[in-house]
Amino acid sequence: MEERDIKRAGLKITQPRVKILDLLSNSQEHHLSAEDIYKLLLGNGEEIGLATVYRVLTQFEAAGLVNRHHFEGGQAVFELATEEHHDHMVCMKTGRVVEFYDEIIEQRQQELARLHNFRIKDHSLILYGEFIGESDENA
Amino acid sequence: MEERDIKRAGLKITQPRVKILDLLSNSQEHHLSAEDIYKLLLGNGEEIGLATVYRVLTQFEAAGLVNRHHFEGGQAVFELATEEHHDHMVCMKTGRVVEFYDEIIEQRQQELARLHNFRIKDHSLILYGEFIGESDENA
DNA sequence: GATTAACATGATAAAGTATATCATTTCATT
DNA sequence: AATGAAATGATATACTTTATCATGTTAATC
């Protein structure tokens, strides 16, 4: 993701937008809340307002640049929409998130939708639990 | 669900708890937000406080009497935990919720967890879309 | 059935997440 | 460089949910 993508979305290329996109592109953790992003940028000495972070993320979502997920815990998290569709495993101890994709589940969802006369626009599959043998580093 | 279940959860049998449980048991819509419940009870002429509704629902959830789901839209919804585990299709137009269960998806989730050395504690699968040929009655 | 201690309620305050407002600033085009 | 349109950010506001605490209710004991 780069400035070109911001322009393609019909948005001006501004400092806050570039900084947020860079952070999402380069951060080790792919899933960041608006407040995560705000604090990380402040920590890097960047000047940015929390309202701008929320506003820009919503615009990016509308433009298809990022996806918003509602994991448990109140705050929505965002990730770049560069990768193919995938679902998530969320560790309830460390907060670690692993992405996965399974063709069987995807097809089965479509089959079930057909059976119920339902047209799927979006879906959310999240497995909550813990990675076996992993210690509680962050929580 | 009945008063016996409240007692079994280690909670006193109080008017608010009975009313909430009755409403969840008898309502046509199985998935109600705390505010839904609050307003429905007020509409029935019952006296209850919103704080009590939230408190009781959280207690019921801890006791395993209800499940809490985070559909899109900000407010959590609650349903009785009497039924077997199931997932949800949510109509983005009418808000209608249909429950489904699919053994293939369940097994596949377990298989994927095994592959990732992950122990599933809980999971959330929600399909968002619309029921074909259904009109927009409530939205 | 009355007493009483523990528990529960509900009005309100407060916390937390997210959006709306609007004067000021930045962008990008002329 | 000038200028109009768009964006920012401080702050106010909305909204969902939890915390506080004086008052009321429950249920166990006498």
Side-chain angles (χ1 to χ4, degrees):
Chain A
M1 291 282 177
E2 43 184 352
E3 301 190 359
R4 181 165 292 283
D5 297 293
I6 297 175
K7 178 162 281 174
R8 194 176 300 131
L11 300 169
K12 283 188 181 175
I13 297 174
T14 63
Q15 287 301 309
R17 286 177 182 148
V18 171
K19 286 172 192 165
I20 291 171
L21 202 59
D22 282 354
L23 185 61
L24 281 167
S25 299
N26 300 326
S27 173
Q28 190 61 34
E29 174 54 77
H30 293 185
H31 304 82
L32 297 172
S33 70
E35 196 154 351
D36 288 339
I37 292 170
Y38 174 64
K39 287 182 177 166
L40 283 169
L41 289 176
L42 286 191
N44 291 353
E46 312 281 5
E47 297 208 343
I48 197 164
L50 181 58
T52 301
V53 175
Y54 275 106
R55 199 188 304 111
V56 168
L57 286 170
T58 299
Q59 292 164 336
F60 281 2
E61 184 192 21
L65 297 181
V66 307
N67 292 127
R68 184 193 304 247
H69 301 289
H70 295 89
F71 296 164
E72 285 180 4
Q75 281 175 298
V77 298
F78 299 83
E79 69 177 335
L80 278 190
T82 44
E83 310 175 45
E84 290 301 305
H85 164 74
H86 55 259
D87 297 309
H88 296 93
M89 289 181 201
V90 180
C91 179
M92 297 165 83
K93 281 187 169 176
T94 67
R96 183 151 85 93
V97 178
V98 166
E99 302 166 355
F100 68 91
Y101 176 84
D102 187 65
E103 190 55 37
I104 293 177
I105 289 180
E106 298 293 324
Q107 287 185 5
R108 199 67 195 137
Q109 285 176 3
Q110 290 298 334
E111 178 64 19
L112 288 161
R114 198 156 37 235
L115 288 173
H116 286 85
N117 232 31
F118 188 76
R119 185 182 299 116
I120 298 176
K121 289 279 179 60
D122 191 12
H123 81 258
S124 163
L125 170 57
I126 306 166
L127 307 183
Y128 296 98
E130 57 189 66
F131 291 98
I132 296 164
E134 220 170 62
S135 61
D136 181 356
E137 7 178 326
N138 298 348
Chain B
M1 290 282 176
E2 43 182 352
E3 301 190 358
R4 181 166 291 284
D5 297 292
I6 297 176
K7 179 163 280 175
R8 195 176 300 131
L11 300 169
K12 283 188 180 176
I13 297 174
T14 63
Q15 288 302 307
R17 286 175 183 150
V18 172
K19 287 172 191 163
I20 292 171
L21 202 59
D22 282 353
L23 184 62
L24 281 168
S25 298
N26 300 326
S27 173
Q28 190 62 32
E29 174 55 78
H30 294 186
H31 304 82
L32 298 172
S33 70
E35 195 152 354
D36 289 339
I37 292 171
Y38 174 64
K39 286 181 176 165
L40 283 169
L41 289 176
L42 287 191
N44 290 354
E46 313 280 5
E47 298 207 342
I48 197 164
L50 181 57
T52 301
V53 175
Y54 274 105
R55 198 188 303 111
V56 168
L57 286 170
T58 299
Q59 292 165 336
F60 282 1
E61 184 193 21
L65 296 181
V66 307
N67 292 127
R68 184 194 303 247
H69 300 289
H70 294 89
F71 296 164
E72 284 181 4
Q75 281 175 298
V77 298
F78 299 82
E79 68 178 338
L80 277 191
T82 43
E83 311 174 46
E84 290 302 305
H85 165 73
H86 55 260
D87 297 309
H88 297 93
M89 287 181 203
V90 180
C91 179
M92 296 165 84
K93 280 187 171 177
T94 67
R96 183 152 85 93
V97 178
V98 166
E99 302 167 355
F100 69 91
Y101 175 85
D102 186 66
E103 189 56 37
I104 293 177
I105 289 180
E106 298 293 324
Q107 287 185 7
R108 200 63 197 140
Q109 286 175 3
Q110 289 300 333
E111 178 64 20
L112 288 162
R114 199 156 37 237
L115 288 173
H116 286 85
N117 232 31
F118 189 76
R119 185 182 299 115
I120 297 175
K121 291 279 179 58
D122 192 10
H123 81 257
S124 164
L125 170 57
I126 306 165
L127 307 184
Y128 296 98
E130 56 191 67
F131 291 99
I132 295 164
E134 219 170 64
S135 62
D136 182 356
E137 3 176 328
N138 299 348

